[in-house]
Amino acid sequence: MEPASSRDVTTPATTPETAPDTSGVLRLMEEAFGFLHSAALRTAARLRLADHLADGPRTPAELAEATGTDGTALRRLLRLLASRGVFEEDGTGAFGLTPAASVLRTGIPGSLHATVLLLTDDMFLRPAADLAETVRTGESAFPRVFGTPFFQHLETDSAAREVFDAGMAAFSGPLDDVVAAAYPFPDRGTVVDVGGGRGGLLRSVLLRHSGLSGVLFDQAPALREPLLDPAELTGRWRAVPGDFFAAVPKGDIHVLKHVLPDWSDDDCVRILRSCRRSLAPGGRVLIVDAAPPAGNAPHPGKDLDILMLTALGGSTRTPTELATLFTRAGLRHARTLPTPGFASIVEAEATTD
C-alpha cells in the first residue's frame, strides 16, 4: 500500500462561504491595544495639540515645532488618533480637529481636557493594571499599589488632588444644566448639594428656579472656590463644610451627583441614612450617576464601574441596585429619569416610619 504521506491529497479551496470569520480576531486585537489608545490620548492632551489646531489644520512638522517634539513620532501619534476619530488627516498630510478632538481644547465650555488627564493618570492606570488581583479578592487595588486608600492619598498628595478636582469638575460640569432641566424641581424649598464640590449643579438648579435656596455641602477643601457667584444668586445659598457620614444639612431635595460610586454598599447606606434623617417631609433624594442599563450595549457606566472597583472599591450601580440601598436606608425608589447626557436621575422618597 502506498504510504499516506505520498498520496495525492486534494485540499478544498477556501471559498467565501467557508472562509474563517476574522471579525472576532480584529475586535479582540482592538481591545488589547486599548492601552495604547489611552496613552496616545493622554499625550495629545499633555501637548495641547487641539489648542494648536484651533485655527485650522497644520502639518506634523508645524505642530512639532510648536510643541517641541519629534515630527516623525508626532505624525505617527496623530495617525493613530485619527484612526480613532480623534483628529483627522486631510489630503495634504495636515491634521485638523474632529468633534472629539475639539473638546480636548482648553478654556472652552464643555472642555474634557482635564478629564482626559485625570482618567489617564497613574492614580487610575496603576490600579487598573492590577485588575486580576482585584477580581480575585474583590478589594480595591489602590491601597496595594499606593500604600493608602484613594482619598487619603489625595489628602497627602496636593498635585494628585489638583488633577482630581479639575478632572471631576470638567467631567461632571456638562451634566449640571442637563440635570437641572430634566428634573421637576419644586417652586420653593431648599436644595442640598451633598458632596457638591464647587457647586456647579447647585448653580444650575438655582439659576433655573428662582424660588429655591441652596446649601453647598462638602469637606472644607472642596469648598474653597465655589461657582455660585452670579449676582442673581446672592443671598440664596450658603456653603457648609462637614462629613456626610455623620450628618447632612436639612433640606427638601438632597442631590448626590457622582458621590455614591466612590463608596462601598455599607458606606452608601450610611450616607443615605444621613440624608434620610435630615430630609423634610415629602422631600426627595436624587442620585445622579451613570447608572448602567441591562444588556450588552456599551455604556459609560460600565467603564466607570471597573474604574471604581480598582481605584476606590466602589461601584456604579444600576437603578435596581440603588433601590436595594434605598430600602436599607429607610428610603423607597420612586422613579428613574433619563437625561440627554450619560447620567440618569434616580429618585428616592422617605418610607413611612
Side-chain angles (χ1 to χ4, degrees):
M1 180 180 291
E2 185 180 14
S5 60
S6 63
R7 296 175 190 164
D8 284 336
V9 179
T10 301
T11 302
T14 300
T15 66
E17 290 74 25
T18 62
D21 182 1
T22 60
S23 62
V25 174
L26 295 175
R27 177 61 180 165
L28 197 60
M29 291 298 293
E30 182 181 14
E31 292 295 328
F33 282 131
F35 74 101
L36 293 174
H37 305 152
S38 179
L41 188 61
R42 178 175 181 81
T43 302
R46 293 185 64 181
L47 294 175
R48 302 201 173 195
L49 295 180
D51 287 349
H52 289 289
L53 296 174
D55 295 328
R58 301 175 73 177
T59 67
E62 292 170 333
L63 287 170
E65 183 177 356
T67 58
T69 56
D70 179 83
T72 300
L74 186 59
R75 180 187 63 81
R76 294 161 69 179
L77 173 78
L78 287 163
R79 181 177 62 180
L80 173 60
L81 288 169
S83 75
R84 310 290 300 170
V86 184
F87 306 112
E88 62 181 356
E89 186 176 9
D90 63 22
T92 70
F95 287 84
L97 296 176
T98 61
S102 292
V103 293
L104 267 183
R105 293 171 57 193
T106 61
I108 62 167
S111 170
L112 290 182
H113 180 268
T115 301
V116 167
L117 291 178
L118 170 63
L119 295 179
T120 59
D121 191 85
D122 273 356
M123 73 176 83
F124 291 133
L125 293 186
R126 290 176 60 191
D130 202 31
L131 178 58
E133 183 66 9
T134 292
V135 171
R136 189 184 72 81
T137 64
E139 297 177 353
S140 164
F142 198 94
R144 292 196 300 271
V145 174
F146 286 93
T148 185
F150 185 86
F151 285 109
Q152 289 184 25
H153 175 73
L154 294 187
E155 290 175 2
T156 59
D157 189 327
S158 59
R161 182 80 208 199
E162 183 177 348
V163 170
F164 180 79
D165 288 344
M168 284 302 300
F171 172 72
S172 63
L175 277 177
D176 293 337
D177 203 52
V178 168
V179 172
Y183 184 77
F185 286 90
D187 294 332
R188 296 286 185 273
T190 299
V191 176
V192 183
D193 195 352
V194 180
R198 300 183 65 191
L201 176 57
L202 185 61
R203 178 181 187 273
S204 291
V205 171
L206 296 183
L207 286 174
R208 281 184 169 270
H209 303 276
S210 60
L212 292 174
S213 60
V215 177
L216 180 59
F217 179 72
D218 209 322
Q219 294 180 325
L223 300 175
R224 291 174 186 154
E225 299 178 2
L227 299 173
L228 294 145
D229 53 358
E232 56 265 52
L233 299 186
T234 301
R236 293 177 53 201
W237 69 280
R238 59 193 176 97
V240 177
D243 178 2
F244 49 42
F245 289 114
V248 170
K250 294 186 179 299
D252 300 279
I253 301 287
H254 288 161
V255 184
L256 296 93
K257 187 183 77 168
H258 299 156
V259 171
L260 296 188
D262 296 349
W263 304 100
S264 67
D265 284 357
D266 289 344
D267 284 337
C268 287
V269 171
R270 291 172 60 199
I271 297 169
L272 291 169
R273 283 175 178 164
S274 292
C275 293
R276 170 67 179 87
R277 288 192 297 268
S278 60
L279 198 62
R284 296 288 189 271
V285 176
L286 308 182
I287 308 300
V288 180
D289 275 319
N296 299 319
H299 189 275
K302 298 176 182 179
D303 300 290
L304 289 168
D305 186 45
I306 298 300
L307 185 145
M308 294 295 105
L309 173 66
T310 56
L312 289 92
S315 174
T316 303
R317 298 168 180 85
T318 67
T320 300
E321 291 169 334
L322 287 171
T324 300
L325 301 183
F326 293 158
T327 299
R328 292 176 57 190
L331 299 165
R332 179 192 303 112
H333 180 207
R335 56 180 169 169
T336 299
L337 300 175
T339 74
F342 61 81
S344 298
I345 304 169
V346 185
E347 180 189 56
E349 60 189 2
T351 56
T352 304
D353 292 330

